[in-house]
Amino acid sequence: YDLLPEQAERMATSTLRPGASLRRAIQVFGSVIAISLFLKKLLLRKGDVAPCKHCQRTLVMNGKEAPYDATKELPKAVRQFYRRPLPDVGGAVVAFASKRGRELFQEALAKGYLRCFFPLIQQFRTQDEPAYCGVSTLAMVLNALSVDPGRLWKGPWRWYSEEMLDCCRPLDYIQTNGLTFDEWNCLAVCNGVKTRGIRASESSVEEFRKHIKEACVEGGEAPTKTSEEIKNRGETGLPPPSTQTTATLAKNDDGGINEAAPIMVVSYSRKGLMQSGDGHFSPIGGYCPSTDMCLVLDVARFKYPPQWVKVDKLFRAMLLHDKVTNKSRGFWLVRKSESKSQLLFRLKSMQHSVGQLRSKLGRLVERFENECAKKDAKTNHQRLDMRQQQEEAAKQLVESCLLHLDSKSGPLLTNIIS
């Protein structure tokens, strides 16, 4: 510090008492420590977690440090969850990784009811957003069916991920509202698959079970056998041996799924299974005939694990109405389409809504049709003027379409035109 002349003279002429320097140093050091602690508390915001000190974690709240207590309930504004246990539904729902779940898997595998499990498990993913169960399920199914998106994912690779499924509904809308039955079907068809969607209200448990077997049984659905045939062969519902030869199986066994074989996707209400939340999408990965349970590969793995569910229980969960459409949910049989994806043009979803584009293009089309419907003019000058108006209307229509395209569609459109 800069001292005044009289202070400097007084200190120069005075003799320091023994220990004064040490006391002064301690005072300065203590002041520095106090200021550091004050600044630390000032900079730490409410809810921040202090750095680990030899694994003695502390939770900083309201600017005060307290021992970390994982069992202590946090304020509702910052309440958090780490997964949820599956509710007890009287044995109608069984966790996939539990002992009983593993037994069901072994039985389903031995009896050939896991045809779609392995292609799906190769692509199993956890949804990136709480309302992304629909798009996450679709990305999983598209990759399991080996559908080529025809556009880049990252680097030189073409692959389906959630952020690429940005047609039919903008992703920011899906992130908040999710998808309905019809919207999911639209999104699937636009990305190169054939779907057969059946609402639960238009079906039955028997038909649902039949389609589960169609999707899960090796070599197709097992034909119905009489009790006498089962007794003679010592069967308990085993599917018939595949008609394919060993050479054919080896040739086609590349870890993928037969293009003719469908993958089943279900849309149901979690309330029907006594789970938290409501509408949900997930694929079906297998079927256990002795217990009549199907394997739901739940894409919300941060919440619930994959689970075996009784077929009739799952069907009743699909019957519950969607509050948006006031219709029941249902299921799909999804197959790879021979035709290419219909996703040639994509909307700039962050700038324009589908309704705004439809309204604007409708007005331009109406103007173009009106110009074309005009009767032939009598003079050459009038005919030339009418021709120019028609060309201007057509130009505005095309320009409006191009302005609403996603930037990634430009190179594809240029290649097609050239």
Side-chain angles (χ1 to χ4, degrees), residues 345 347 357 361 364 396-405:
F345 306 114
L347 295 179
L357 178 60
L361 292 183
L364 292 173
Q396 289 186 10
L397 176 61
V398 174
E399 286 180 348
S400 180
C401 292
L402 295 178
L403 285 173
H404 287 77
L405 290 180

Side-chain angles (χ1 to χ4, degrees), residues 344-345 402 405-418:
L344 174 60
F345 306 114
L402 295 178
L405 290 180
D406 187 280
S407 59
K408 296 180 181 179
S409 302
L412 181 59
L413 181 61
T414 303
N415 292 336
I416 293 176
I417 294 176
S418 60

Side-chain angles (χ1 to χ4, degrees), residues 242-253:
S242 173
T243 56
Q244 292 179 298
T245 64
T246 304
T248 305
L249 287 172
K251 180 179 179 181
N252 296 333
D253 190 12

Side-chain angles (χ1 to χ4, degrees), residues 130-146:
Y132 267 15
C133 56
V135 291
S136 183
T137 295
L138 182 56
M140 181 175 166
V141 170
L142 291 169
N143 289 325
L145 290 172
S146 301

Side-chain angles (χ1 to χ4, degrees), residues 221-359:
E221 182 183 358
T224 304
K225 302 182 180 65
T226 64
S227 58
E228 187 66 25
E229 290 175 326
I230 295 176
K231 181 178 179 181
N232 293 337
R233 292 190 57 181
E235 294 179 321
T236 57
L238 282 170
S242 173
T243 56
Q244 292 179 298
T245 64
T246 304
T248 305
L249 287 172
K251 180 179 179 181
N252 296 333
D253 190 12
D254 60 352
I257 192 169
N258 186 351
E259 293 184 4
I263 289 180
M264 176 177 280
V265 173
V266 292
S267 171
Y268 61 98
S269 173
R270 287 194 182 276
K271 295 179 180 179
L273 304 180
M274 298 177 62
Q275 300 174 1
S276 66
D278 195 1
H280 191 57
F281 294 84
S282 281
I284 296 297
Y287 175 71
C288 181
S290 65
T291 58
D292 193 32
M293 301 182 82
C294 59
L295 178 58
V296 178
L297 296 177
D298 199 326
V299 293
R301 291 188 288 179
F302 56 85
K303 188 175 184 180
Y304 291 112
Q307 58 213 253
W308 292 94
V309 184
K310 285 279 189 181
V311 170
D312 58 344
K313 190 73 173 179
L314 183 59
F315 184 80
R316 288 196 293 269
M318 293 190 299
L319 281 171
L320 298 179
H321 281 203
D322 184 345
K323 60 183 180 182
V324 176
T325 62
N326 198 30
K327 295 180 180 179
S328 71
R329 297 170 172 86
F331 59 93
W332 294 267
L333 294 173
V334 185
R335 290 178 170 87
K336 186 175 182 179
S337 177
E338 297 178 359
S339 59
K340 294 184 178 180
S341 169
Q342 299 180 16
L343 265 183
L344 174 60
F345 306 114
R346 296 182 293 151
L347 295 179
K348 293 179 180 176
S349 58
M350 299 303 292
Q351 301 179 21
H352 306 280
S353 68
V354 176
Q356 290 174 340
L357 178 60
R358 184 186 295 114
S359 177

Side-chain angles (χ1 to χ4, degrees), residues 151-217:
R151 57 190 189 277
L152 293 179
W153 165 59
K154 292 182 181 179
W157 301 105
R158 299 194 301 271
W159 194 251
Y160 271 108
S161 61
E162 292 176 347
E163 67 271 12
M164 296 177 66
L165 301 175
D166 56 352
C167 68
C168 298
R169 278 292 191 183
L171 285 177
D172 56 345
Y173 173 89
I174 299 175
Q175 185 174 345
T176 304
N177 303 283
L179 291 170
T180 64
F181 186 91
D182 293 328
E183 289 169 347
W184 192 93
N185 189 78
C186 172
L187 191 60
V189 173
C190 285
N191 283 275
V193 290
K194 295 185 294 185
T195 63
R196 182 187 175 191
I198 304 175
R199 292 189 182 272
S201 59
E202 302 171 354
S203 182
S204 63
V205 178
E206 291 74 19
E207 184 182 8
F208 180 46
R209 184 181 294 109
K210 174 185 175 182
H211 289 308
I212 290 177
K213 293 180 180 180
E214 180 184 356
C216 297
V217 176

